[in-house]
Amino acid sequence: MRPTSLTSPTSPAPHARTTPPAPASTTVGIVGGGPAGLLLARLLHRSGIDSVVLESRDRAYVERRQRAGVLEQGTADTLRGCGAGERLDRLGLVHHGIRLRYDRRSHRVDLPALTGGRGVVVYAQTEVVKDLIALQLADGGPLVFGARALAVEGADTARPVIRYAHEGREHTLACDYVVGCDGFHGVTRDAVPAGIRRTYERGYPYAWLGVLADVPPSCDELVYAHSARGFALFSMRSPTVSRLYLQVPHGTDPADWPDDRIWDELDARSATDGPWDLARGPITAKSVLPMRSVVTEPMRYGRVLLAGDAAHIVPPAGAKGLNLAASDVTELARAFAHLKDTGSAGLLDGWSDTCLRRVWRAEQFSHFMTTTLHTAPGQSAFDTRLQIAQLDRIATSPHAAAELAENYTGLPPVAGPRPGPVAGDLTPAAP
């Protein structure tokens, strides 16, 4: 089976195809053109499986959304394997360690030494999205911007349908399968009946103030700082742009944080008895990020599947959000390819359970990083000493440090069920 393609050797340049017409039917309908939906479309294309991606926003908006910036080893390898590695390898910053700063001390966690050679790559989600959009428009299936999904109907039938609005008109897309990559507030989640869907959720009593600054990073690796004043994270987007975060109360207005106050607070929270010089510069963007943990089970109902933020959200301290989404769709693309090649739906039938085992492990790690590094409102001195003791344990125990490093760089895939009997069909949907 050849994948749907809207280009030929004489087709216009990719920028001319930002809103190609969508067909009336496809094999896999993907709601959401963020990294999860785009990566799934790319992986399906390389396996010869048709798909259509519907994205509610325009291309410019999608390509400038500021999100995660740390890629696990497996995520980076997947992007390289599907042809999205050129800019990643040229512009991405390979990191072999992170720094924990607490009680005026600093400890480096050597990631490769503790994991058998694994590290992470700092490469902004905005750049991942740009790369995947360019590939999709160059030789992939339809990617329709400005297509707002209204509902997913018939999840428990053989032909679910996506209703969506585009350019002032309502359209339908009939699919063999629908994959929701449209986030927690997307419509795809509603296709799973309330009586079947169960959501587990935990909130945190603080948020992050995130800023971009036109200044070289003060450290060549990420710095996670625990402080009685609150948490701070020192990251980067490039050798000349810093990405910085401060723990702030819920409801914080970024306008209440002028630049000088942000730099002063970053300086105070990262204080150490060792050498440290915080580089300051012009701040170009500020935003407040809420923090919560959410898991929805199951991730599949009938022929509708949920991936990425549509199924789970993690607090950002563990750098797992984008990586979990990539893991979801990588496993899903493998299951679809297995169904196409063998006729067996075994991997697809076990996909939700397989993903959820990894999701819960990532939730546990993200919760650990969050509660160990942040100072809760009204936190007692006893609780603070417990946090210091845990950080000391990581600094002095190779076993504790290895546990952190293995989770941070990405655990191997969780073993899923063996392929089952022949069932299902992945032939192209009839027009």
Side-chain angles (χ1 to χ4, degrees):
M1 179 182 71
R2 294 180 61 83
T4 301
S5 175
L6 299 182
T7 58
S8 67
T10 58
S11 295
H15 67 268
R17 300 181 55 230
T18 55
T19 53
S25 62
T26 189
T27 304
V28 180
I30 302 171
V31 184
L38 292 167
L39 179 57
L40 176 60
R42 184 63 184 171
L43 294 170
L44 293 176
H45 174 77
R46 291 174 71 87
S47 294
I49 300 171
D50 294 324
S51 71
V52 173
V53 181
L54 304 176
E55 166 54 44
S56 64
R57 302 286 192 164
D58 62 32
R59 180 178 181 179
Y61 181 93
V62 173
E63 290 187 338
R64 66 173 180 263
R65 282 188 291 210
Q66 291 294 331
R67 292 292 188 272
V70 177
L71 306 183
E72 295 176 356
Q73 182 85 53
T75 302
D77 289 344
T78 297
L79 290 169
R80 294 184 183 105
C82 73
E86 190 276 326
R87 292 178 71 245
L88 168 64
D89 288 332
R90 179 162 50 87
L91 302 176
L93 306 175
V94 177
H95 282 204
H96 299 293
I98 61 172
R99 312 291 177 109
L100 299 177
R101 188 159 296 180
Y102 63 99
D103 200 25
R104 301 193 64 87
R105 287 174 279 170
S106 184
H107 173 74
R108 181 175 186 266
V109 179
D110 188 327
L111 300 175
L114 294 162
T115 62
R118 298 202 306 274
V120 296
V121 181
V122 174
Y123 189 63
Q125 177 174 309
T126 49
E127 304 307 316
V128 173
V129 167
K130 290 175 187 176
D131 295 341
L132 291 172
I133 286 176
L135 288 170
Q136 187 74 4
L137 296 177
D139 65 6
L143 165 55
V144 187
F145 292 102
R148 182 171 59 89
L150 304 173
V152 176
E153 300 169 345
D156 55 352
T157 71
R159 296 286 287 166
V161 172
I162 305 170
R163 287 196 299 108
Y164 68 98
H166 182 240
E167 296 182 346
R169 299 180 59 188
E170 187 171 315
H171 306 265
T172 60
L173 177 64
C175 314
D176 289 347
Y177 293 90
V178 174
V179 181
C181 300
D182 50 344
F184 183 80
H185 297 291
V187 302
T188 314
R189 283 167 46 89
D190 294 334
V192 182
I196 293 174
R197 184 177 74 232
R198 184 170 184 181
T199 299
Y200 302 85
E201 187 167 3
R202 169 170 287 178
Y204 297 89
Y206 30 71
W208 275 11
L209 172 65
V211 304
L212 282 173
D214 283 340
V215 60
S218 298
C219 182
D220 59 358
E221 295 176 333
L222 273 67
V223 177
Y224 291 78
H226 172 280
S227 163
R229 302 174 67 94
F231 170 76
L233 172 60
F234 299 79
S235 183
M236 67 283 294
R237 284 294 178 262
S238 74
T240 60
V241 177
S242 293
R243 180 66 164 160
L244 308 156
Y245 300 93
L246 286 169
Q247 175 188 338
V248 294
H250 278 308
T252 292
D253 184 347
D256 293 336
W257 284 78
D259 292 9
D260 287 344
R261 182 185 179 190
I262 290 172
W263 289 119
D264 289 346
E265 195 63 26
L266 287 166
D267 205 3
R269 296 187 190 188
S270 60
T272 176
D273 291 334
W276 171 248
D277 183 18
L278 177 63
R280 302 187 180 210
I283 292 176
T284 60
K286 304 174 187 177
S287 61
V288 173
L289 315 173
M291 300 180 66
R292 57 180 175 159
S293 299
V294 182
V295 179
T296 295
E297 298 184 359
M299 292 172 61
R300 177 187 179 186
Y301 173 73
R303 296 214 170 195
V304 172
L305 306 99
L306 306 176
D309 286 358
H312 43 73
I313 296 172
V314 291
K320 293 297 152 210
L322 171 58
N323 293 294
L324 269 184
S327 175
D328 287 348
V329 298
T330 300
E331 289 295 321
L332 184 54
R334 186 169 72 94
F336 278 136
H338 183 77
L339 175 55
K340 170 181 174 287
D341 294 341
T342 70
S344 170
L347 291 182
L348 193 58
D349 290 342
W351 173 79
S352 177
D353 289 342
T354 297
C355 287
L356 283 169
R357 284 192 288 273
R358 186 181 185 90
V359 166
W360 279 111
R361 288 163 66 174
E363 290 282 0
Q364 188 279 327
F365 174 67
S366 299
H367 179 261
F368 165 79
M369 291 288 285
T370 302
T371 56
T372 299
L373 291 165
H374 290 71
T375 303
Q379 178 169 303
S380 69
F382 183 88
D383 290 332
T384 300
R385 292 303 301 166
L386 289 178
Q387 292 176 318
I388 298 297
Q390 180 59 65
L391 292 166
D392 268 338
R393 168 73 174 163
I394 295 168
T396 58
S397 167
H399 300 290
E403 178 71 12
L404 187 153
E406 288 171 358
N407 279 278
Y408 194 84
T409 59
L411 295 169
V414 179
R418 293 189 177 190
V422 171
D425 182 34
L426 256 186
T427 54

